Amino acid sequence: MHIVTVASLEEWQMQNMQTLPSAILFMIGGRKVSDSDVSTKICALVERFQTSPVIVGADGDELAQLLHALECGARGYIPTSVGIKVAAEAVSLARAGGVFVPASSLLAAKEAIAPVASRNCCLDSMFTPREVVVAEALRRGKANKIIAYEMDLCESTVKVHIRNIMKKLNATNRTEVAYKIRELVR
């Protein structure tokens, strides 16, 4: 395979290549696919090279970033945590028409989604929908400020939810809340 490295699409065009690339590996490093400039570039590459698969290489393997890359039309997402052999096979898979996603992202998603679905059944009868989300965040050890940010609430509102959860569980502190919630969902 003949490999050409360029810093931009413009640089590639200046090289006046006679054939289209068989694959494009777009390295974003620590940037996020959800950043508008990154997702715009991915979409532009996918549109410009319709017959060549675009694969995103990134430092992280967060599921949200992976999904965003696929939504932009990427045919793979390779985190830097995978070995060179896996990366080469991922490019080969994309060239053959497949789509590569790292197992680490899928396993993290399974862990995040499956338990929450079964937990919610137990917690739904005890708590309001917002209290369920706050209780789950407490179980994971998140700080009030983080919970507030993730739920787009004021920190004082999160404290009110925590106080209500503590009353319902007859708990005296956050640690006891987390322990009791873990016991409830088993």
CSV table of all heavy atoms in Angstrom, one decimal, residues 61-111:
chain,number,residue,atom,x,y,z
A,61,ASP,N,-11.7,6.9,23.1
A,61,ASP,CA,-12.6,5.9,22.6
A,61,ASP,C,-14.1,6.1,23.1
A,61,ASP,O,-14.8,5.1,23.3
A,61,ASP,CB,-12.1,4.5,22.8
A,61,ASP,CG,-12.1,4.1,24.3
A,61,ASP,OD1,-12.3,5.0,25.1
A,61,ASP,OD2,-11.8,2.9,24.6
A,62,GLU,N,-14.4,7.3,23.4
A,62,GLU,CA,-15.8,7.5,24.0
A,62,GLU,C,-16.8,7.2,22.9
A,62,GLU,O,-16.7,7.6,21.8
A,62,GLU,CB,-16.0,9.0,24.4
A,62,GLU,CG,-15.0,9.5,25.5
A,62,GLU,CD,-13.8,10.1,24.9
A,62,GLU,OE1,-13.8,10.5,23.7
A,62,GLU,OE2,-12.7,10.1,25.6
A,63,LEU,N,-17.9,6.5,23.4
A,63,LEU,CA,-18.9,6.1,22.5
A,63,LEU,C,-19.6,7.3,21.8
A,63,LEU,O,-19.9,7.2,20.6
A,63,LEU,CB,-20.0,5.3,23.2
A,63,LEU,CG,-21.1,4.7,22.4
A,63,LEU,CD1,-20.6,3.7,21.4
A,63,LEU,CD2,-22.2,4.1,23.3
A,64,ALA,N,-19.8,8.4,22.4
A,64,ALA,CA,-20.5,9.5,21.8
A,64,ALA,C,-19.7,10.0,20.7
A,64,ALA,O,-20.2,10.4,19.6
A,64,ALA,CB,-20.7,10.6,22.9
A,65,GLN,N,-18.4,10.1,20.8
A,65,GLN,CA,-17.5,10.6,19.7
A,65,GLN,C,-17.5,9.6,18.6
A,65,GLN,O,-17.6,10.0,17.4
A,65,GLN,CB,-16.1,10.8,20.2
A,65,GLN,CG,-16.0,11.9,21.3
A,65,GLN,CD,-16.6,13.2,20.9
A,65,GLN,OE1,-16.3,13.7,19.9
A,65,GLN,NE2,-17.4,13.7,21.8
A,66,LEU,N,-17.4,8.3,18.9
A,66,LEU,CA,-17.5,7.3,17.8
A,66,LEU,C,-18.8,7.4,17.0
A,66,LEU,O,-18.7,7.4,15.8
A,66,LEU,CB,-17.4,5.9,18.5
A,66,LEU,CG,-17.5,4.7,17.6
A,66,LEU,CD1,-16.6,3.6,18.2
A,66,LEU,CD2,-18.9,4.2,17.5
A,67,LEU,N,-19.9,7.5,17.7
A,67,LEU,CA,-21.2,7.6,17.0
A,67,LEU,C,-21.3,8.8,16.2
A,67,LEU,O,-21.8,8.8,15.1
A,67,LEU,CB,-22.3,7.5,18.0
A,67,LEU,CG,-22.5,6.2,18.8
A,67,LEU,CD1,-23.6,6.3,19.9
A,67,LEU,CD2,-22.9,5.1,17.8
A,68,HIS,N,-20.7,9.9,16.7
A,68,HIS,CA,-20.7,11.2,15.9
A,68,HIS,C,-19.9,11.0,14.6
A,68,HIS,O,-20.3,11.5,13.6
A,68,HIS,CB,-20.2,12.3,16.8
A,68,HIS,CG,-20.6,13.7,16.3
A,68,HIS,ND1,-21.9,14.2,16.6
A,68,HIS,CD2,-20.0,14.6,15.5
A,68,HIS,CE1,-22.0,15.4,16.0
A,68,HIS,NE2,-20.8,15.6,15.4
A,69,ALA,N,-18.8,10.3,14.7
A,69,ALA,CA,-18.0,10.1,13.5
A,69,ALA,C,-18.7,9.3,12.5
A,69,ALA,O,-18.7,9.6,11.3
A,69,ALA,CB,-16.6,9.4,13.9
A,70,LEU,N,-19.4,8.2,13.0
A,70,LEU,CA,-20.2,7.4,12.1
A,70,LEU,C,-21.3,8.2,11.4
A,70,LEU,O,-21.6,8.0,10.3
A,70,LEU,CB,-20.7,6.2,12.8
A,70,LEU,CG,-19.6,5.2,13.3
A,70,LEU,CD1,-20.3,4.0,14.0
A,70,LEU,CD2,-18.7,4.7,12.2
A,71,GLU,N,-22.0,9.1,12.2
A,71,GLU,CA,-23.0,9.9,11.7
A,71,GLU,C,-22.5,10.8,10.6
A,71,GLU,O,-23.3,11.2,9.7
A,71,GLU,CB,-23.7,10.7,12.8
A,71,GLU,CG,-24.5,9.9,13.7
A,71,GLU,CD,-25.0,10.7,15.0
A,71,GLU,OE1,-24.6,11.8,15.2
A,71,GLU,OE2,-25.7,10.1,15.8
A,72,CYS,N,-21.3,11.2,10.7
A,72,CYS,CA,-20.7,12.1,9.7
A,72,CYS,C,-20.3,11.3,8.4
A,72,CYS,O,-19.9,11.9,7.4
A,72,CYS,CB,-19.4,12.8,10.2
A,72,CYS,SG,-19.7,14.0,11.5
A,73,GLY,N,-20.4,10.0,8.5
A,73,GLY,CA,-20.1,9.2,7.3
A,73,GLY,C,-18.8,8.4,7.4
A,73,GLY,O,-18.4,7.7,6.4
A,74,ALA,N,-18.1,8.5,8.5
A,74,ALA,CA,-16.8,7.8,8.7
A,74,ALA,C,-17.1,6.3,8.7
A,74,ALA,O,-18.2,5.8,9.1
A,74,ALA,CB,-16.1,8.1,10.0
A,75,ARG,N,-16.2,5.5,8.1
A,75,ARG,CA,-16.3,4.0,8.1
A,75,ARG,C,-15.5,3.3,9.1
A,75,ARG,O,-15.4,2.1,9.1
A,75,ARG,CB,-15.9,3.5,6.7
A,75,ARG,CG,-16.7,4.1,5.5
A,75,ARG,CD,-18.2,3.6,5.6
A,75,ARG,NE,-18.3,2.2,5.6
A,75,ARG,CZ,-18.4,1.5,4.5
A,75,ARG,NH1,-18.4,2.0,3.3
A,75,ARG,NH2,-18.5,0.2,4.6
A,76,GLY,N,-15.0,4.1,10.1
A,76,GLY,CA,-14.3,3.5,11.2
A,76,GLY,C,-13.8,4.5,12.2
A,76,GLY,O,-13.8,5.7,11.8
A,77,TYR,N,-13.5,4.0,13.4
A,77,TYR,CA,-13.0,4.9,14.4
A,77,TYR,C,-12.0,4.2,15.2
A,77,TYR,O,-12.2,3.1,15.8
A,77,TYR,CB,-14.2,5.3,15.3
A,77,TYR,CG,-13.9,6.3,16.4
A,77,TYR,CD1,-14.1,7.7,16.1
A,77,TYR,CD2,-13.3,5.9,17.6
A,77,TYR,CE1,-13.8,8.6,17.1
A,77,TYR,CE2,-13.0,6.9,18.6
A,77,TYR,CZ,-13.2,8.2,18.3
A,77,TYR,OH,-12.9,9.2,19.3
A,78,ILE,N,-10.7,4.6,15.0
A,78,ILE,CA,-9.6,3.9,15.6
A,78,ILE,C,-9.0,4.7,16.8
A,78,ILE,O,-8.4,5.8,16.5
A,78,ILE,CB,-8.5,3.6,14.6
A,78,ILE,CG1,-9.1,2.9,13.4
A,78,ILE,CG2,-7.4,2.8,15.2
A,78,ILE,CD1,-8.1,2.7,12.2
A,79,PRO,N,-9.1,4.3,18.0
A,79,PRO,CA,-8.5,5.0,19.1
A,79,PRO,C,-7.0,4.7,19.1
A,79,PRO,O,-6.6,3.6,18.7
A,79,PRO,CB,-9.2,4.5,20.4
A,79,PRO,CG,-9.7,3.1,20.0
A,79,PRO,CD,-10.0,3.2,18.5
A,80,THR,N,-6.2,5.6,19.6
A,80,THR,CA,-4.7,5.3,19.7
A,80,THR,C,-4.4,4.2,20.7
A,80,THR,O,-3.2,3.8,20.7
A,80,THR,CB,-4.0,6.6,20.0
A,80,THR,OG1,-4.5,7.2,21.3
A,80,THR,CG2,-4.1,7.7,18.9
A,81,SER,N,-5.3,3.8,21.5
A,81,SER,CA,-5.1,2.7,22.4
A,81,SER,C,-4.9,1.3,21.7
A,81,SER,O,-4.5,0.4,22.4
A,81,SER,CB,-6.1,2.7,23.5
A,81,SER,OG,-7.4,2.4,22.9
A,82,VAL,N,-5.4,1.2,20.5
A,82,VAL,CA,-5.3,-0.1,19.8
A,82,VAL,C,-3.9,-0.2,19.2
A,82,VAL,O,-3.2,0.8,18.9
A,82,VAL,CB,-6.4,-0.3,18.7
A,82,VAL,CG1,-7.7,-0.2,19.3
A,82,VAL,CG2,-6.2,0.6,17.6
A,83,GLY,N,-3.4,-1.4,19.0
A,83,GLY,CA,-2.1,-1.7,18.4
A,83,GLY,C,-2.1,-1.4,16.9
A,83,GLY,O,-3.2,-1.3,16.3
A,84,ILE,N,-0.9,-1.3,16.4
A,84,ILE,CA,-0.8,-1.0,14.9
A,84,ILE,C,-1.4,-2.1,14.1
A,84,ILE,O,-1.9,-1.8,13.0
A,84,ILE,CB,0.7,-0.8,14.6
A,84,ILE,CG1,0.9,-0.2,13.2
A,84,ILE,CG2,1.6,-2.0,14.8
A,84,ILE,CD1,0.4,1.2,13.0
A,85,LYS,N,-1.3,-3.4,14.5
A,85,LYS,CA,-1.9,-4.5,13.7
A,85,LYS,C,-3.4,-4.3,13.6
A,85,LYS,O,-4.0,-4.5,12.5
A,85,LYS,CB,-1.5,-5.8,14.3
A,85,LYS,CG,-0.1,-6.2,14.0
A,85,LYS,CD,0.2,-7.6,14.5
A,85,LYS,CE,1.6,-8.0,14.2
A,85,LYS,NZ,1.9,-9.4,14.6
A,86,VAL,N,-4.0,-4.0,14.7
A,86,VAL,CA,-5.5,-3.8,14.8
A,86,VAL,C,-5.8,-2.6,13.9
A,86,VAL,O,-6.8,-2.6,13.1
A,86,VAL,CB,-6.0,-3.6,16.2
A,86,VAL,CG1,-7.5,-3.2,16.2
A,86,VAL,CG2,-5.8,-4.9,17.0
A,87,ALA,N,-5.1,-1.5,14.0
A,87,ALA,CA,-5.3,-0.3,13.2
A,87,ALA,C,-5.2,-0.6,11.7
A,87,ALA,O,-6.1,-0.2,10.9
A,87,ALA,CB,-4.4,0.8,13.5
A,88,ALA,N,-4.2,-1.4,11.3
A,88,ALA,CA,-4.0,-1.8,9.9
A,88,ALA,C,-5.2,-2.6,9.4
A,88,ALA,O,-5.7,-2.5,8.3
A,88,ALA,CB,-2.7,-2.5,9.7
A,89,GLU,N,-5.7,-3.6,10.3
A,89,GLU,CA,-6.8,-4.4,9.9
A,89,GLU,C,-8.1,-3.6,9.8
A,89,GLU,O,-9.0,-3.9,9.0
A,89,GLU,CB,-7.0,-5.6,10.9
A,89,GLU,CG,-5.9,-6.6,10.8
A,89,GLU,CD,-5.8,-7.3,9.5
A,89,GLU,OE1,-6.8,-7.5,8.8
A,89,GLU,OE2,-4.7,-7.7,9.1
A,90,ALA,N,-8.2,-2.6,10.7
A,90,ALA,CA,-9.4,-1.7,10.7
A,90,ALA,C,-9.5,-0.9,9.3
A,90,ALA,O,-10.5,-0.8,8.7
A,90,ALA,CB,-9.3,-0.7,11.8
A,91,VAL,N,-8.3,-0.5,8.9
A,91,VAL,CA,-8.3,0.2,7.6
A,91,VAL,C,-8.6,-0.8,6.5
A,91,VAL,O,-9.4,-0.5,5.6
A,91,VAL,CB,-6.9,0.8,7.3
A,91,VAL,CG1,-6.8,1.4,5.9
A,91,VAL,CG2,-6.6,2.0,8.3
A,92,SER,N,-8.1,-2.0,6.5
A,92,SER,CA,-8.4,-3.1,5.5
A,92,SER,C,-9.9,-3.4,5.6
A,92,SER,O,-10.6,-3.5,4.5
A,92,SER,CB,-7.7,-4.3,5.8
A,92,SER,OG,-6.3,-4.1,5.6
A,93,LEU,N,-10.5,-3.4,6.8
A,93,LEU,CA,-11.9,-3.7,6.9
A,93,LEU,C,-12.8,-2.6,6.2
A,93,LEU,O,-13.7,-2.9,5.5
A,93,LEU,CB,-12.3,-3.8,8.4
A,93,LEU,CG,-13.8,-4.0,8.6
A,93,LEU,CD1,-14.4,-5.3,8.1
A,93,LEU,CD2,-14.1,-3.9,10.1
A,94,ALA,N,-12.4,-1.4,6.5
A,94,ALA,CA,-13.1,-0.2,5.9
A,94,ALA,C,-13.0,-0.3,4.3
A,94,ALA,O,-13.9,0.0,3.6
A,94,ALA,CB,-12.6,1.1,6.4
A,95,ARG,N,-11.8,-0.6,3.9
A,95,ARG,CA,-11.5,-0.7,2.4
A,95,ARG,C,-12.4,-1.8,1.8
A,95,ARG,O,-12.8,-1.7,0.6
A,95,ARG,CB,-10.1,-0.9,2.1
A,95,ARG,CG,-9.2,0.3,2.4
A,95,ARG,CD,-7.7,0.0,2.2
A,95,ARG,NE,-7.5,-0.3,0.8
A,95,ARG,CZ,-6.5,-1.1,0.4
A,95,ARG,NH1,-5.6,-1.6,1.2
A,95,ARG,NH2,-6.3,-1.3,-0.9
A,96,ALA,N,-12.7,-2.8,2.5
A,96,ALA,CA,-13.5,-4.0,2.0
A,96,ALA,C,-15.0,-3.7,2.2
A,96,ALA,O,-15.8,-4.5,1.8
A,96,ALA,CB,-13.1,-5.2,2.8
A,97,GLY,N,-15.3,-2.5,2.7
A,97,GLY,CA,-16.8,-2.2,2.8
A,97,GLY,C,-17.3,-2.3,4.2
A,97,GLY,O,-18.5,-2.0,4.4
A,98,GLY,N,-16.5,-2.7,5.2
A,98,GLY,CA,-17.0,-2.8,6.6
A,98,GLY,C,-16.8,-1.6,7.4
A,98,GLY,O,-16.4,-0.5,6.8
A,99,VAL,N,-17.2,-1.6,8.6
A,99,VAL,CA,-17.1,-0.5,9.5
A,99,VAL,C,-16.4,-1.0,10.8
A,99,VAL,O,-16.9,-2.0,11.4
A,99,VAL,CB,-18.5,0.1,9.9
A,99,VAL,CG1,-18.4,1.2,10.9
A,99,VAL,CG2,-19.2,0.6,8.6
A,100,PHE,N,-15.4,-0.3,11.2
A,100,PHE,CA,-14.7,-0.7,12.4
A,100,PHE,C,-15.0,0.2,13.6
A,100,PHE,O,-15.0,1.4,13.5
A,100,PHE,CB,-13.1,-0.6,12.2
A,100,PHE,CG,-12.4,-1.0,13.5
A,100,PHE,CD1,-12.2,-2.3,13.8
A,100,PHE,CD2,-11.9,0.0,14.3
A,100,PHE,CE1,-11.5,-2.6,15.0
A,100,PHE,CE2,-11.2,-0.3,15.5
A,100,PHE,CZ,-11.0,-1.6,15.8
A,101,VAL,N,-15.4,-0.4,14.7
A,101,VAL,CA,-15.6,0.3,16.0
A,101,VAL,C,-14.8,-0.5,17.0
A,101,VAL,O,-14.8,-1.7,17.0
A,101,VAL,CB,-17.1,0.5,16.3
A,101,VAL,CG1,-17.8,1.4,15.4
A,101,VAL,CG2,-17.8,-0.9,16.4
A,102,PRO,N,-14.2,0.2,17.9
A,102,PRO,CA,-13.4,-0.5,18.9
A,102,PRO,C,-14.3,-1.2,20.0
A,102,PRO,O,-15.3,-0.7,20.4
A,102,PRO,CB,-12.6,0.6,19.6
A,102,PRO,CG,-13.3,1.9,19.3
A,102,PRO,CD,-14.0,1.7,18.0
A,103,ALA,N,-13.9,-2.4,20.3
A,103,ALA,CA,-14.6,-3.2,21.3
A,103,ALA,C,-14.7,-2.5,22.6
A,103,ALA,O,-15.8,-2.5,23.3
A,103,ALA,CB,-14.0,-4.5,21.5
A,104,SER,N,-13.7,-1.7,23.0
A,104,SER,CA,-13.7,-1.0,24.3
A,104,SER,C,-14.9,0.0,24.4
A,104,SER,O,-15.5,0.1,25.4
A,104,SER,CB,-12.4,-0.2,24.5
A,104,SER,OG,-12.2,0.7,23.4
A,105,SER,N,-15.2,0.6,23.3
A,105,SER,CA,-16.4,1.6,23.3
A,105,SER,C,-17.7,0.8,23.4
A,105,SER,O,-18.5,1.3,24.2
A,105,SER,CB,-16.4,2.4,22.0
A,105,SER,OG,-15.2,3.1,21.8
A,106,LEU,N,-17.8,-0.3,22.8
A,106,LEU,CA,-19.0,-1.1,22.9
A,106,LEU,C,-19.2,-1.7,24.3
A,106,LEU,O,-20.3,-1.7,24.8
A,106,LEU,CB,-19.1,-2.2,21.8
A,106,LEU,CG,-19.0,-1.7,20.4
A,106,LEU,CD1,-19.0,-2.9,19.4
A,106,LEU,CD2,-20.2,-0.8,20.1
A,107,LEU,N,-18.1,-2.2,24.8
A,107,LEU,CA,-18.2,-2.8,26.2
A,107,LEU,C,-18.6,-1.7,27.2
A,107,LEU,O,-19.4,-1.9,28.1
A,107,LEU,CB,-16.9,-3.5,26.5
A,107,LEU,CG,-16.6,-4.7,25.7
A,107,LEU,CD1,-15.2,-5.2,26.0
A,107,LEU,CD2,-17.7,-5.8,25.9
A,108,ALA,N,-18.0,-0.5,27.1
A,108,ALA,CA,-18.3,0.6,28.0
A,108,ALA,C,-19.8,1.0,27.8
A,108,ALA,O,-20.5,1.3,28.8
A,108,ALA,CB,-17.4,1.8,27.7
A,109,ALA,N,-20.3,1.0,26.6
A,109,ALA,CA,-21.7,1.3,26.4
A,109,ALA,C,-22.6,0.3,27.0
A,109,ALA,O,-23.6,0.6,27.6
A,109,ALA,CB,-21.9,1.5,24.9
A,110,LYS,N,-22.2,-1.0,26.8
A,110,LYS,CA,-23.1,-2.0,27.4
A,110,LYS,C,-23.2,-1.9,28.9
A,110,LYS,O,-24.2,-2.0,29.5
A,110,LYS,CB,-22.5,-3.4,27.0
A,110,LYS,CG,-23.2,-4.6,27.6
A,110,LYS,CD,-22.5,-5.9,27.4
A,110,LYS,CE,-23.3,-7.0,28.1
A,110,LYS,NZ,-22.4,-8.0,28.5
A,111,GLU,N,-22.0,-1.6,29.5
A,111,GLU,CA,-22.0,-1.5,31.0
A,111,GLU,C,-22.8,-0.2,31.4
A,111,GLU,O,-23.4,-0.3,32.4
A,111,GLU,CB,-20.5,-1.3,31.4
A,111,GLU,CG,-20.3,-1.4,32.9
A,111,GLU,CD,-18.9,-1.4,33.3
A,111,GLU,OE1,-18.1,-2.3,32.9
A,111,GLU,OE2,-18.5,-0.4,34.0
